[in-house]
Amino acid sequence: MLILIVDDEETQRKMLQGFLEKQGYKVLTASGGNEALHIFESAPVQLVLIDHRMEDMNGDEVLEKMRAASPLVRAIMITAYGNVTTAVKVMQLGADDFMEKPVDLMELLEKIRGIEQSFDVQAESTIITESLEQAELPISIIGSSTPMQELLSLVYRVAPTEWSALIRGETGTGKELVARLIHLMGLRKNGPFVEVNCAAIPENLFESELFGHEKGAFTGASSRRRGRFELASGGTLFLDEVGELPLQLQAKLLRTLQEKKVTRVGSETDIKVDARVLTATNKDLKQMVAEGTFREDLFFRLNVLELTVPPLRERRDDIMELIEFFLQKYAVKPTSFSNEAMAQLVKYRFPGNVRELEHLIQRLVTLVRGNRIEVSDLPPEIRESRSRGGHLSDRLAEVEKEMLITALEQHNWVQTRAAEALGISERVLRYKMNKAGIKK
Ligand SMILES: Nc1ncnc2c1ncn2[C@@H]1O[C@H](COP(=O)(O)OP(=O)(O)OP(=O)(O)O)[C@@H](O)[C@H]1O
Ligand SMILES: [Mg+2]
């Protein structure tokens, strides 16, 4: 990570630079705002440490200009001791954090590491979000919540490799969408994307479906047929519900993955295949391995990379945007939700995840008389859903999130103060904010 230190005091600059370089960071320095902006134009600076009080320009002014040029830049503002009003302003301006002088170096290092960790996620997920927005990719994925941003950044890293990846997630969370995204972001994007739903194929047809058959190989095989593996050559083979694959075929699949060859049913000759394999499941394959219903060697082969699509109830921040998206897609006339109806939806647990939400919107827009959907239009299970019931841990997480947000708002999002009010350390607060996906 490239860090720019902006401070008009030479000793302070030198001290911070020496310390950070020892920690392995690349560091540039500037003795004032104008010099800083000049450097910023020509170097890919990812983080700036800015002294708030400088002679030629205030730190917040410098930051504002940097943000205008590069919205993703991260910043820690360094303020005089006790200067909290400035600190609040600084946060409002978009500094990610602030520190008071004299700077505690270990604390600084901890803050930088925290920023560093989130940095990649943001950069990587931005690339995907932008590609999707610029309609380069023929699919849409809503995912501004922290868990989805993390998933998208993982997709970005997984896509350009040739490894197999296992996509896990409850029903309707968007596993197939993620598989398509990996394909479209990968090296084989111009090749075919071939899907096999392992739950939908009768057991006796599995082998022929995957590997193909020769004419007369079995009753009903009236002509030669290429299997999905062959069809996916040069592209991606997506095995959905891979947990449903019968044991005997698991062995054949493993052999194909190892040798990159298939044999059509009723044939003796091997055919070379070159397909990247992505799999998805809502089952616990590890558990199945323990129970002996899924081969361990195949599991390791498929699970080189693992992605988990979070259930909708763990990313409620996405619900409103998804509703908007599905309204656009399905409503024939402008339709909106009353605040109460919206609130009820955001609270609901959505056991069927995004698919359930999608179907719900589809139904509502066809049934609603006016152009406003009220609570009374919602199906009873949603109308009556309170956060009551469900798992204890979910309820506790909800209460905790609410308390965190309240404390942060009461203290103008100054984390030190909010943490104090909650009786926890700032580090624990940041950890909990991260986990609950709380952003200002
Ligand atoms: N983040 C998202 N943004 C927009 N649409 C989504 C998103 N996630 C899922 N969908 C939509 O929800 C529906 C279900 O998604 P998908 O089929 O990918 O889920 P799945 O996890 O494969 O489900 P299943 O476990 O039932 O196979 C699809 O119509 C998909 O387009
Ligand atoms: Mg699916």
Side-chain angles (χ1 to χ4, degrees):
M1 181 156 72
L2 181 59
I3 304 176
L4 173 61
I5 299 169
V6 193
D7 199 315
D8 54 3
E9 238 176 275
E10 195 185 347
T11 43
Q12 173 85 357
R13 252 187 350 252
K14 285 264 152 69
M15 189 267 291
L16 291 176
Q17 178 175 26
F19 172 71
L20 292 175
E21 281 179 347
K22 219 181 268 162
Q23 303 297 325
Y25 293 105
K26 273 183 261 160
V27 179
L28 298 171
T29 60
S31 60
N34 284 315
E35 192 189 343
L37 291 172
H38 194 71
I39 294 176
F40 191 75
E41 274 171 28
S42 58
V45 174
Q46 290 161 291
L47 169 67
V48 270
L49 307 184
I50 314 180
D51 182 24
H52 185 250
R53 282 252 299 270
M54 290 181 300
E55 274 177 13
D56 66 336
M57 205 188 286
N58 262 346
D60 45 344
E61 240 179 288
V62 180
L63 180 56
E64 207 179 338
K65 292 196 165 129
M66 287 179 173
R67 286 251 187 245
S70 169
L72 281 186
V73 70
R74 301 304 195 95
I76 297 175
M77 193 70 76
I78 297 169
T79 66
Y81 173 72
N83 203 346
V84 181
T85 32
T86 312
V88 171
K89 212 168 102 201
V90 152
M91 302 288 251
Q92 283 165 348
L93 264 173
D96 299 273
D97 219 328
F98 77 98
M99 293 191 73
E100 291 180 340
K101 278 184 184 175
V103 172
D104 174 338
L105 291 177
M106 285 341 271
E107 195 187 334
L108 174 66
L109 189 60
E110 200 183 311
K111 286 185 195 294
I112 292 179
R113 292 209 172 124
I115 286 176
E116 204 170 19
Q117 269 175 10
S118 61
F119 190 85
D120 290 338
V121 169
Q122 199 176 43
E124 290 160 351
S125 60
T126 304
I127 295 174
I128 295 208
T129 314
E130 279 174 0
S131 316
L132 287 165
E133 273 167 8
Q134 289 158 4
E136 278 169 29
L137 303 182
I139 54 177
S140 304
I141 293 191
I142 306 296
S144 316
S145 63
T146 309
M148 280 304 279
Q149 292 284 304
E150 271 162 19
L151 176 66
L152 292 181
S153 108
L154 195 55
V155 165
Y156 179 75
R157 269 171 285 155
V158 165
T161 69
E162 282 288 66
W163 298 109
S164 306
L166 174 66
I167 303 162
R168 299 178 32 194
E170 291 175 17
T171 176
T173 43
K175 296 185 292 295
E176 181 175 341
L177 214 50
V178 169
R180 287 182 187 277
L181 185 60
I182 293 176
H183 171 72
L184 290 167
M185 296 292 295
L187 307 167
R188 297 161 169 269
K189 56 172 177 276
N190 297 319
F193 179 88
V194 177
E195 191 201 336
V196 182
N197 186 344
C198 301
I201 301 173
E203 193 162 338
N204 57 339
L205 291 183
F206 241 122
E207 191 169 356
S208 127
E209 196 64 40
L210 279 183
F211 306 119
H213 62 247
E214 294 295 334
K215 185 174 171 174
F218 49 87
T219 336
S222 54
S223 60
R224 162 199 279 183
R225 187 165 174 222
R226 295 199 298 159
R228 306 276 177 109
F229 249 110
E230 269 182 77
L231 295 172
S233 256
T236 305
L237 179 70
F238 174 48
L239 298 175
D240 203 356
E241 317 273 6
V242 71
E244 304 294 325
L245 206 63
L247 266 171
Q248 163 240 347
L249 269 172
Q250 290 177 20
K252 292 205 165 129
L253 174 60
L254 181 66
R255 185 192 147 230
T256 307
L257 293 173
Q258 283 164 341
E259 295 171 10
K260 298 186 186 307
K261 301 189 272 215
V262 295
T263 320
R264 292 187 190 138
V265 180
S267 163
E268 303 277 295
T269 14
D270 291 334
I271 299 164
K272 275 194 134 172
V273 288
D274 159 43
R276 180 185 191 184
V277 175
L278 300 176
T279 51
T281 183
N282 54 18
K283 294 237 166 98
D284 185 348
L285 289 189
K286 242 181 234 160
Q287 174 80 26
M288 290 181 67
V289 168
E291 287 163 0
T293 47
F294 203 86
R295 288 182 68 113
E296 187 171 30
D297 43 11
L298 179 62
F299 173 70
F300 286 123
R301 190 91 199 183
L302 297 175
N303 192 35
V304 179
L305 301 164
E306 184 180 304
L307 300 98
T308 305
V309 188
L312 194 51
R313 64 177 177 281
E314 282 173 18
R315 46 178 162 118
R316 291 179 200 268
D317 291 354
D318 285 335
I319 293 179
M320 293 230 256
E321 211 180 322
L322 279 165
I323 291 176
E324 239 2 272
F325 174 73
F326 291 132
L327 279 176
Q328 293 270 341
K329 191 165 162 190
Y330 296 113
V332 280
K333 56 183 185 209
T335 307
S336 65
F337 282 81
S338 73
N339 287 341
E340 295 75 35
M342 192 60 107
Q344 210 59 28
L345 281 170
V346 172
K347 253 199 304 196
Y348 179 57
R349 281 180 57 82
F350 288 103
N353 293 296
V354 183
R355 176 172 302 107
E356 182 181 0
L357 177 59
E358 180 169 9
H359 287 168
L360 174 74
I361 304 294
Q362 252 176 311
R363 245 182 308 140
L364 286 172
V365 296
T366 29
L367 294 179
V368 71
R369 293 227 176 78
N371 48 19
R372 201 174 170 74
I373 297 166
E374 303 287 346
V375 175
S376 55
D377 297 316
L378 301 175
E381 71 272 17
I382 298 179
R383 216 167 34 203
E384 281 146 29
S385 102
R386 276 161 220 243
S387 324
R388 144 163 65 81
H391 290 283
L392 177 64
S393 57
D394 286 345
R395 280 284 283 137
L396 288 175
E398 268 173 42
V399 172
E400 183 171 290
K401 185 169 180 180
E402 224 173 271
M403 285 181 70
L404 293 174
I405 294 176
T406 311
L408 284 160
E409 279 173 350
Q410 274 173 357
H411 296 91
N412 278 313
W413 292 82
V414 179
Q415 295 179 8
T416 334
R417 309 277 177 266
E420 206 177 314
L422 289 164
I424 55 178
S425 75
E426 208 182 330
R427 199 169 57 83
V428 171
L429 173 68
R430 263 200 306 277
Y431 169 77
K432 286 183 182 295
M433 284 172 70
N434 226 341
K435 207 169 125 209
I438 300 174
K439 269 184 283 188
K440 195 175 163 188

